[in-house]
Amino acid sequence: MVSSSAHFLFFTVLIVFFFQPCFQHSLCRRDERLALLQFKESFVVDKHASFDDPFAYPKANFWKSQGKDCCFWEGIQCDQDIGHVISLDLSSSYLFGSINFNSSLFHLIHLQHLNLAFNDFNYSKIPSAFSNLTSLTYLNLSNSFFVGQIPFELSRLTSLSTLELVPNYEGGLELKMPNLRILVENLTSLEYLHLSGTKINSRIPTTLANMSSLRSIDLSDCGLFGEFPMAIFQLPKLQVLIVSFNVGLMGNLPEFQFHNQLTTLEIQNTKFSGKLPASIGMLSSLEVLSIDNCNFSGLLPPSLGNLTKLQGLQCYNNKLSGIVEIDPFLKLKHLEALSFSRNNILLLIKTRESANTTTRKLRSLELGSCSLKEFPSFLHNLDQLEILDLSSNDIGGKIPKWIWTFSKSLSFLDLSHNSLTNFEKFLNAFPSSTLDYLDLSFNKLKASLPIPPFSISFFLVSENKFSGGIPPEFCNLTSLQFLDLSHNNLNGMIPPCIGNFSKSLAILNLQGNNFKGPIPPTWVDGNNLKLIKLGQNNLKGKLPRSLANCRMLEFFDVGNNHIRDTFPYWLGTLLRLKILILHFNRFYGAINGSESDSLFPNLRIVDLSHNGFVGLLPTKYFERWSAMVDADRENTKYWEAYDNYEWNNIMLLPSYHYSMTITNKGVKMEYAQVLEIFSAIDLSCNKFEGEIPDVVGILKGLELLNLSNNILVGPIPPTLGNLKNLEALDLSQNKLTGSIPTQLTLLNFLAVFNISHNHLVGPIPKGQQFDTFDNSSFDGNLGLCGLPLSRKCENSKALPPPFSTSNGNEDYGLLTEFGWKTVALGYGCGFLVGVVMGNIVFARTREWLMRIYQTRLSRG
Ligand SMILES: *[C@@H]1O[C@H](CO)[C@@H](O)[C@H](O)[C@H]1NC(C)=O
Ligand SMILES: *[C@@H]1O[C@H](CO)[C@@H](O)[C@H](O)[C@H]1NC(C)=O
Ligand SMILES: *[C@@H]1O[C@H](CO)[C@@H](O)[C@H](O)[C@H]1NC(C)=O
Ligand SMILES: *[C@@H]1O[C@H](CO)[C@@H](O)[C@H](O)[C@H]1NC(C)=O
Ligand SMILES: *[C@@H]1O[C@H](CO)[C@@H](O)[C@H](O)[C@H]1NC(C)=O
Ligand SMILES: *[C@@H]1O[C@H](CO)[C@@H](O)[C@H](O)[C@H]1NC(C)=O
Ligand SMILES: *[C@@H]1O[C@H](CO)[C@@H](O)[C@H](O)[C@H]1NC(C)=O
Ligand SMILES: *[C@@H]1O[C@H](CO)[C@@H](O)[C@H](O)[C@H]1NC(C)=O
Ligand SMILES: *[C@@H]1O[C@H](CO)[C@@H](O)[C@H](O)[C@H]1NC(C)=O
Ligand SMILES: *[C@@H]1O[C@H](CO)[C@@H](O)[C@H](O)[C@H]1NC(C)=O
Ligand SMILES: *[C@@H]1O[C@H](CO)[C@@H](O)[C@H](O)[C@H]1NC(C)=O
């Protein structure tokens, strides 16, 4: 941009110098000049308005110094003969403010080209007055913080050949009324239709296939569904087709013809299925083919090897099969990204060692789940590689030394889920210095922890047999963001630097090792920690109060240690804390709070079981745990920690799924992923006394409530019938009295119910879930009667009628959705100790990485 403006200046000088005699007065019309100045004045100049574009600068700021003739101002072009302003390009110009319907912009009715992309129009709507600019052929309002419905009036701009309206965030703009079909109905000259990220939420109109001028369609991330109209593939000029990330969109690939001009075909993360036609080899112009995360099956056609212009071939996660000889692909001279991961592909690696390596540009290679038995030797030739994924293969033995050095620029290496046993030659430190991301988890690595390169941001080695301590050099890894050492045989003390060595550390998982001693107290103010898991170790002492400095913390787990402390009410100030797990420790005393207002406002899961807490149940906390009141079962998002990560000047959002285990009266529930709306209270196996307060009944989001194995007395509060989401209710092994409130029959999702070993009396309610519980739910209450117990009630007429509810047949449907599985049944405290799977799902990370990578590729 700088160079083009310099060029423009030069042009200006030339014109003035040579042609001055021809123009006595300026070309620019006064009213248009005023309109331009007025338009400019309606904005604040703010650098943040164009933060997305590193090359942005305030173009309009130079106008006044560029003379009176607006035709020579930066970003403006005029009609040569008449002098009307016909082009205005103020993209990336730091403009901040809104555009009103009466903006002077709409007086520039001769405009043909208008680009206002990458500014900040302050979340305003796109004014309908754009329809006044009837000469427009080019309209680009991308990434400019316009929001809401795209106005119907744009459908009148019938000369448009380019329409680009990409919102800053998914769904920021909407296209419902008018919908896509109506909007483009009369835009018959359209060549570029780019609406990626706009909330369209409809089928793709078949009329698109009649718009024969179309060259480029980008409708990714638009909520499109239904069958993709095959006729669109026949559009004679089509070069770019991107409909990726529309998870409801179905379709097949057609037989392609020889004259096809497609350069980019991106349909990843849709429901496209069927075979890849052999005629795909006809797409001689194809540069990018992305079918990741679709449902393609059948053999991978060898004709792919004929696509000599291909830069990216992404087949990650389909059902493709066959034997692929890697050699033909390596001959594709422009290939930069190749992904076969997660298919049924058996790679038959044939390479000629004599092959010329200088032509190999491959930068990303994904061969996860490709039945590889060893490290492919052709990697030696790929010295430009940045991303290498060999995860989920059958590679055993030692990790060869050369893997760290064969590429000068390796930044992402995933060797997880193999059978690797050790490092070739003991490795103190990795020779490679470019590595950002290293995943060695789920192997059989038996060694002491290697010291990652200084640059590392992601170091994941869970589920191995690493032993020894954490070397002091880790304190120097100041760029670390995710550190997962969980489920190894590591021991020694946790290094004191753990709380302050890296400002960017977001994930710290040391779960399932043999770490001993106290938890270091160095948690500094302003740290970025979102997850701290220290469970299943031998940690002693108190919880350091400086943990309250972890203001970003969402997940804290110190379960299964020997912590001896009172209840950490002081963590209540952590506004983001959602999961607090203290189970199987030596916490003691009553749960009292401070007088502070802040009592865990966002907590949704609290597990204090198997400790020595005494006193009354914490009524004050039940009243304040307002996040647990939310019972929105529609929300199907899983909890994961996101973090920003800059990779080659690109912002990525790697994520880390939350996983945990909750033990509920012998039923161990493993949550590999946790739904955001999941909510649980487990206070079992303590010494709580007194009555169960009625107020528990306000926590309507609760799915699991376990108060078993305490010394609770009094009745079961009927308010528990309000907890409509409850799936597991365990009040067993207490001293509860009275009868079972019939309100409990309202709990349609209840699958686990246990009130055994109390002093309850009277009839067992009938109907709904109660017909599914067996004896064991009620055992040890000498006064209970009625089915399923053999003891009949003396006067069955006294039985109150069950509460009427809607048809309860949906009951179990949701259980599986909540992702927990019943592992075993048993009784008594401590029957099963939870084993948390350090379950990381990186698919999403990978998608982002690849998606952005492709964007780079396709932009050349
Ligand atoms: C942006 O919008 C906000 C909220 O509507 C308003 O308060 C603010 O003044 C606007 N800023 C500008 C520069 O228009
Ligand atoms: C748009 O055009 C209409 C009719 O031509 C006119 O009345 C209106 O003033 C114009 N709007 C603006 C903002 O110039
Ligand atoms: C446009 O309209 C708004 C409100 O309707 C008004 O505040 C503003 O002064 C008008 N601007 C011009 C240039 O007429
Ligand atoms: C829209 O403008 C942005 C910023 O100038 C540019 O990157 C993008 O390529 C433009 N879109 C089209 C279709 O020209
Ligand atoms: C498209 O043009 C036809 C004929 O001029 C007109 O009847 C129709 O209303 C127009 N559609 C839209 C969406 O403007
Ligand atoms: C597309 O054009 C053909 C021929 O002009 C016409 O028969 C057909 O109805 C059009 N289809 C749609 C969906 O407009
Ligand atoms: C994938 O395709 C198979 C047939 O090949 C079909 O049975 C299956 O339902 C599809 N899966 C999805 C998720 O669409
Ligand atoms: C590749 O192209 C050549 C020449 O066009 C053709 O002879 C050959 O059959 C093609 N190979 C495949 C596998 O389609
Ligand atoms: C590889 O190819 C390049 C250009 O294509 C050539 O300059 C170089 O000499 C070749 N190297 C070998 C080892 O053949
Ligand atoms: C950490 O880095 C500093 C400076 O680079 C170095 O002096 C020190 O020895 C390193 N510490 C460890 C434990 O490696
Ligand atoms: C971390 O905290 C310890 C103890 O307070 C201190 O000695 C050390 O300098 C701190 N390190 C950093 C990087 O701030």
Side-chain angles (χ1 to χ4, degrees):
M1 276 185 202
V2 173
S3 73
S4 86
S5 76
H7 177 256
F8 206 65
L9 221 62
F10 179 60
F11 189 54
T12 313
V13 172
L14 269 189
I15 294 206
V16 172
F17 188 79
F18 287 109
F19 301 102
Q20 203 173 18
C22 305
F23 298 120
Q24 289 307 321
H25 50 86
S26 85
L27 192 59
C28 175
R29 296 180 165 241
R30 187 171 170 277
D31 58 327
E32 295 191 358
R33 184 175 62 238
L34 289 179
L36 283 169
L37 287 173
Q38 209 178 8
F39 180 60
K40 170 194 179 276
E41 294 304 326
S42 65
F43 298 106
V44 178
V45 173
D46 186 337
K47 244 178 140 160
H48 301 294
S50 305
F51 73 98
D52 273 347
D53 182 355
F55 299 109
Y57 63 99
K59 290 178 191 164
N61 274 15
F62 306 108
W63 283 358
K64 287 213 168 114
S65 64
Q66 285 169 338
K68 276 209 139 183
D69 192 343
C70 70
C71 298
F72 292 113
W73 290 352
E74 174 130 32
I76 310 246
Q77 276 177 34
C78 294
D79 181 286
Q80 292 288 346
D81 304 324
I82 312 164
H84 285 304
V85 174
I86 55 169
S87 172
L88 176 60
D89 183 349
L90 287 182
S91 58
S92 304
S93 297
Y94 296 167
L95 303 182
F96 177 47
S98 53
I99 302 183
N100 291 322
F101 68 98
N102 57 358
S103 164
S104 59
L105 174 68
F106 305 118
H107 300 158
L108 300 167
I109 55 170
H110 300 282
L111 274 180
Q112 296 168 18
H113 183 108
L114 178 59
N115 191 346
L116 298 175
F118 292 98
N119 288 295
D120 185 345
F121 298 123
N122 202 10
Y123 299 91
S124 56
K125 291 198 163 179
I126 298 177
S128 56
F130 272 102
S131 62
N132 275 28
L133 309 176
T134 50
S135 304
L136 277 184
T137 60
Y138 179 101
L139 178 60
N140 188 342
L141 303 178
S142 284
N143 292 74
S144 50
F145 285 100
F146 275 122
V147 297
Q149 171 66 38
I150 293 171
F152 179 80
E153 288 78 2
L154 290 193
S155 65
R156 299 196 189 126
L157 301 176
T158 52
S159 306
L160 277 182
S161 79
T162 298
L163 178 60
E164 181 164 312
L165 305 174
V166 178
N168 293 67
Y169 52 92
E170 191 185 322
L173 287 169
E174 294 181 13
L175 193 52
K176 292 187 171 159
M177 195 54 228
N179 57 24
L180 179 58
R181 186 181 60 77
I182 293 169
L183 179 74
V184 301
E185 185 171 68
N186 290 339
L187 309 186
T188 49
S189 309
L190 265 191
E191 297 179 29
Y192 298 87
L193 177 61
H194 293 180
L195 300 175
S196 143
T198 297
K199 199 193 267 181
I200 298 179
N201 293 13
S202 73
R203 293 168 186 275
I204 298 185
T206 51
T207 46
L208 275 194
N210 270 8
M211 301 178 64
S212 55
S213 308
L214 278 173
R215 290 173 193 279
S216 175
I217 299 175
D218 184 351
L219 296 175
S220 61
D221 245 327
C222 290
L224 299 169
F225 54 80
E227 201 65 39
F228 180 82
M230 290 284 268
I232 289 179
F233 286 110
Q234 313 297 332
L235 283 168
K237 296 181 179 158
L238 196 64
Q239 294 176 342
V240 174
L241 178 60
I242 304 176
V243 289
S244 49
F245 294 90
N246 290 296
V247 290
L249 190 64
M250 296 175 284
N252 298 109
L253 292 183
E255 290 296 341
F256 292 101
Q257 307 296 321
F258 188 64
H259 52 77
N260 198 304
Q261 299 177 33
L262 269 186
T263 60
T264 302
L265 179 57
E266 292 187 22
I267 52 178
Q268 71 270 29
N269 296 70
T270 60
K271 285 208 178 75
F272 266 74
S273 60
K275 289 189 165 48
L276 292 184
S279 58
I280 206 161
M282 302 278 196
L283 299 175
S284 54
S285 308
L286 203 63
E287 292 170 8
V288 176
L289 175 62
S290 297
I291 58 169
D292 289 340
N293 293 309
C294 290
N295 194 11
F296 285 103
S297 51
L299 295 174
L300 202 70
S303 59
L304 282 171
N306 266 6
L307 299 176
T308 53
K309 297 208 173 132
L310 211 56
Q311 296 170 20
L313 173 57
Q314 311 277 132
C315 306
Y316 182 85
N317 198 18
N318 280 281
K319 298 193 183 101
L320 296 164
S321 56
I323 297 176
V324 170
E325 294 177 26
I326 201 81
D327 215 17
F329 289 104
L330 294 180
K331 273 188 269 175
L332 300 178
K333 280 193 275 197
H334 301 284
L335 202 60
E336 293 191 23
L338 181 59
S339 153
F340 289 136
S341 292
R342 299 190 57 192
N343 282 288
N344 304 319
I345 288 170
L346 181 64
L347 279 178
L348 188 70
I349 297 152
K350 273 209 303 203
T351 47
R352 270 169 278 116
E353 292 303 326
S354 60
N356 189 332
T357 61
T358 61
T359 54
R360 298 193 178 155
K361 288 191 180 171
L362 211 57
R363 295 197 288 151
S364 169
L365 179 63
E366 289 183 84
L367 301 176
S369 308
C370 284
S371 311
L372 294 173
K373 301 259 188 276
E374 54 190 26
F375 286 91
S377 65
F378 65 81
L379 288 175
H380 283 296
N381 295 331
L382 306 178
D383 59 357
Q384 313 286 313
L385 215 56
E386 293 170 17
I387 294 175
L388 176 61
D389 175 10
L390 298 175
S391 63
S392 306
N393 283 295
D394 306 322
I395 308 176
K398 296 178 176 174
I399 303 177
K401 216 167 48 174
W402 57 263
I403 204 79
W404 313 112
T405 51
F406 75 95
S407 164
K408 295 187 291 277
S409 40
L410 198 65
S411 67
F412 179 106
L413 179 61
D414 187 350
L415 302 177
S416 66
H417 297 270
N418 278 290
S419 308
L420 298 164
T421 55
N422 207 335
F423 300 94
E424 184 188 46
K425 193 172 166 229
F426 173 67
L427 199 66
N428 272 324
F430 295 99
S432 162
S433 60
T434 51
L435 219 50
D436 279 338
Y437 183 107
L438 179 61
D439 191 349
L440 300 173
S441 45
F442 291 90
N443 275 290
K444 296 173 181 156
L445 291 166
K446 200 170 180 180
S448 47
L449 268 187
I451 297 156
F454 197 60
S455 61
I456 201 92
S457 298
F458 301 84
F459 186 66
L460 310 163
V461 300
S462 66
E463 307 278 349
N464 275 290
K465 297 185 173 125
F466 284 108
S467 56
I470 299 180
E473 287 85 351
F474 270 67
C475 294
N476 267 358
L477 302 176
T478 52
S479 304
L480 260 184
Q481 289 178 232
F482 289 16
L483 177 62
D484 188 347
L485 308 178
S486 62
H487 301 285
N488 278 289
N489 298 326
L490 295 169
N491 54 33
M493 311 264 272
I494 298 176
C497 71
I498 201 77
N500 69 350
F501 76 104
S502 165
K503 284 206 180 80
S504 47
L505 194 67
I507 300 295
L508 173 64
N509 191 348
L510 305 181
Q511 192 104 344
N513 281 288
N514 299 313
F515 290 117
K516 58 181 191 201
I519 299 173
T522 51
W523 313 93
V524 280
D525 223 357
N527 73 55
N528 187 38
L529 280 156
K530 295 179 177 151
L531 174 145
I532 299 176
K533 276 189 173 187
L534 306 173
Q536 300 164 50
N537 280 293
N538 293 313
L539 298 171
K540 286 200 178 82
K542 294 183 168 209
L543 292 180
R545 299 303 190 256
S546 59
L547 280 166
N549 288 332
C550 303
R551 299 195 182 284
M552 309 298 282
L553 199 61
E554 298 181 349
F555 192 144
F556 183 63
D557 183 352
V558 285
N560 303 85
N561 278 293
H562 312 293
I563 306 287
R564 192 184 290 277
D565 202 346
T566 52
F567 179 72
Y569 63 87
W570 39 271
L571 287 177
T573 56
L574 298 181
L575 301 183
R576 297 176 184 229
L577 193 66
K578 296 166 178 167
I579 305 178
L580 175 65
I581 298 178
L582 306 179
H583 61 204
F584 295 96
N585 273 292
R586 296 176 188 165
F587 285 95
Y588 60 88
I591 300 192
N592 297 317
S594 63
E595 289 311 307
S596 143
D597 283 341
S598 210
L599 298 175
F600 304 91
N602 253 312
L603 204 63
R604 283 195 66 95
I605 298 171
V606 54
D607 186 346
L608 310 181
S609 65
H610 299 265
N611 278 293
F613 288 116
V614 299
L616 299 178
L617 288 173
T619 307
K620 190 162 98 189
Y621 286 85
F622 293 154
E623 284 166 1
R624 298 290 190 79
W625 285 344
S626 51
M628 297 192 197
V629 175
D630 179 12
D632 170 21
R633 287 187 90 101
E634 301 284 290
N635 182 349
T636 54
K637 281 206 224 113
Y638 289 100
W639 262 331
E640 48 193 341
Y642 287 102
D643 209 22
N644 292 328
Y645 168 52
E646 205 180 316
W647 181 78
N648 282 2
N649 293 324
I650 298 169
M651 265 315 195
L652 302 178
L653 286 176
S655 72
Y656 188 99
H657 278 270
Y658 290 170
S659 63
M660 59 171 197
T661 298
I662 286 190
T663 313
N664 175 34
K665 182 70 187 181
V667 183
K668 188 181 76 173
M669 292 180 224
E670 273 177 27
Y671 297 79
Q673 299 186 15
V674 184
L675 275 176
E676 283 185 2
I677 61 134
F678 181 74
S679 188
I681 295 178
D682 188 347
L683 305 181
S684 66
C685 301
N686 280 290
K687 297 190 186 91
F688 288 113
E689 55 195 33
E691 298 195 2
I692 301 174
D694 285 345
V695 68
V696 178
I698 67 171
L699 304 176
K700 293 203 175 78
L702 276 185
E703 275 150 45
L704 189 156
L705 177 61
N706 189 349
L707 304 176
S708 67
N709 283 282
N710 282 294
I711 325 168
L712 300 172
V713 296
I716 298 174
T719 55
L720 292 186
N722 295 336
L723 305 179
K724 295 278 161 38
N725 281 356
L726 215 55
E727 295 180 1
L729 175 62
D730 191 345
L731 305 174
S732 64
Q733 308 272 2
N734 278 295
K735 298 185 181 343
L736 299 172
T737 52
S739 59
I740 303 174
T742 45
Q743 284 86 343
L744 296 189
T745 58
L746 295 173
L747 303 178
N748 280 336
F749 295 116
L750 202 60
V752 176
F753 179 64
N754 196 343
I755 50 162
S756 63
H757 302 280
N758 278 293
H759 307 310
L760 297 163
V761 295
I764 292 172
K766 283 201 176 119
Q768 307 296 336
Q769 293 308 98
F770 273 79
D771 296 342
T772 66
F773 305 133
D774 63 17
N775 284 3
S776 61
S777 293
F778 307 100
D779 272 349
N781 287 287
L782 294 178
L784 284 178
C785 63
L787 289 174
L789 300 178
S790 49
R791 187 178 332 112
K792 295 222 165 57
C793 295
E794 274 163 21
N795 179 4
S796 58
K797 276 180 197 149
L799 202 67
F803 277 71
S804 63
T805 57
S806 58
N807 182 358
N809 277 343
E810 66 224 279
D811 304 341
Y812 290 103
L814 276 148
L815 266 184
T816 42
E817 266 181 46
F818 284 91
W820 60 262
K821 54 182 183 195
T822 302
V823 176
L825 283 162
Y827 286 95
C829 286
F831 174 77
L832 273 174
V833 177
V835 181
V836 179
M837 306 292 289
N839 205 343
I840 312 160
V841 183
F842 275 107
R844 194 182 169 98
T845 319
R846 183 88 23 83
E847 276 160 27
W848 269 95
L849 203 65
M850 291 307 132
R851 185 179 173 195
I852 293 165
Y853 194 76
Q854 280 157 14
T855 315
R856 272 156 46 94
L857 286 176
S858 48
R859 287 187 182 154

